[in-house]
Amino acid sequence: MAHSSEPTTAMGRERLPLSTVLPRAWRGFTSAPWPCVGLSGLILSSAAGLGTLARELQANSSAWIRHSGDLVWVLSLLVPLILMLGLLRLADTLLPSTGPDDCDVPQAKERIPWLLRQSVALALIETLILLGGITTLRGLGTALLAHSGVLAAVALLAGGIALTSWTAGQVLALPLLIHHGHRPLAAMEHSRKLVQQNRLKVLALLGLLVGLNLIGLMGACLGLLLTLPLSALILMASCRTQTPWRKD
């Protein structure tokens, strides 16, 4: 099965439809609230339950039990990631089609194994780049500190800003991968271009997501059952971009 691997920015400058993401997200949520809440509950319970079990096993005096605790710790990261992928894919199917591009997206039942492989590859690539950048900054700061503390501080500040900018530029990579069927590198490039063209809107989007989930943390974190699916719907609605001379 062929999948799109080129970012759609070739059509022109893409505009993030920030003014319409909340109405779209709410309509998507009300069309299937219980599957959304159920998946959110599974994400939270798997993360908390497996993480707690991993800590208990790692504190055991037996070596093989400690090793099994390491395995459970890996599962505590992998299982919520898979469930989050399912939540994003569900959100993508709940949102209405907005143009001819959406008609080319393969059906969910045909794409889930492919999406899982590509999403894991994307997570690994971004993690390696981030860890490599942090390691490089630490080594550079240590080397420069022996000659000049001011120079080391300037280099760390500049490198930190560059690394933060790169990280912010990848905030839409996974949603774009899911919606457009991109390969990991194409999704990263599409996200970078989209963020670069909509800096202020992306900052507003991040502020909206952070504020929404801070509200969800109230009430013994039960609000996350609602704010997690709404966040997923907002992210997937952000992939329905607008281009000049085309109505959304």
Side-chain angles (χ1 to χ4, degrees):
M1 178 174 56
H3 294 275
S4 169
S5 60
E6 294 297 328
T8 57
T9 48
M11 299 171 55
R13 177 182 173 88
E14 291 183 289
R15 297 171 182 170
L16 198 68
L18 191 60
S19 61
T20 62
V21 293
L22 272 177
R24 287 179 185 175
W26 181 249
R27 286 198 299 269
F29 180 77
T30 54
S31 66
W34 294 116
C36 293
V37 172
L39 266 175
S40 298
L42 286 175
I43 292 170
L44 296 173
S45 60
S46 63
L50 291 174
T52 302
L53 178 61
R55 286 194 297 270
E56 293 293 332
L57 293 175
Q58 288 172 337
N60 196 280
S61 57
S62 174
W64 71 270
I65 293 181
R66 289 199 302 270
H67 291 317
S68 64
D70 296 335
L71 177 60
V72 174
W73 181 81
V74 173
L75 290 176
S76 71
L77 299 177
L78 186 60
V79 172
L81 175 63
I82 295 173
L83 292 173
M84 181 59 72
L85 177 63
L87 180 60
L88 288 169
R89 188 64 189 91
L90 174 63
D92 194 41
T93 60
L94 293 178
L95 292 167
S97 175
T98 58
D101 292 338
D102 288 343
C103 298
D104 297 331
V105 179
Q107 296 297 318
K109 63 181 181 181
E110 299 174 350
R111 298 185 61 213
I112 288 177
W114 183 88
L115 278 176
L116 181 58
R117 293 194 301 270
Q118 301 304 317
S119 300
V120 171
L122 175 65
L124 288 175
I125 291 171
E126 291 187 338
T127 300
L128 289 175
I129 292 175
L130 188 59
L131 291 177
I134 293 173
T135 302
T136 302
L137 281 179
R138 290 181 62 183
L140 181 62
T142 302
L144 292 176
L145 189 60
H147 302 283
S148 171
V150 175
L151 186 59
V154 171
L156 288 176
L157 179 61
I161 292 174
L163 193 59
T164 301
S165 299
W166 178 86
T167 304
Q170 300 305 311
V171 68
L172 294 174
L174 182 58
L176 289 169
L177 183 150
I178 293 171
H179 178 65
H180 290 290
H182 288 325
R183 300 286 181 178
L185 294 179
M188 292 168 67
E189 178 64 12
H190 192 173
S191 178
R192 184 191 67 80
K193 289 183 177 180
L194 186 57
V195 171
Q196 188 177 36
Q197 294 168 359
N198 300 270
R199 293 185 181 92
L200 294 179
K201 288 185 177 181
V202 170
L203 287 176
L205 177 65
L206 292 175
L208 173 64
L209 292 174
V210 170
L212 187 65
N213 287 285
L214 285 177
I215 295 174
L217 289 172
M218 300 177 182
C221 300
L222 292 179
L224 290 175
L225 294 174
L226 299 177
T227 59
L228 278 181
L230 282 174
S231 298
L233 285 159
I234 288 171
L235 282 172
M236 298 313 301
S238 299
C239 296
R240 271 76 169 172
T241 54
Q242 299 167 323
T243 53
W245 313 113
R246 286 183 60 185
K247 291 183 178 180
D248 185 10

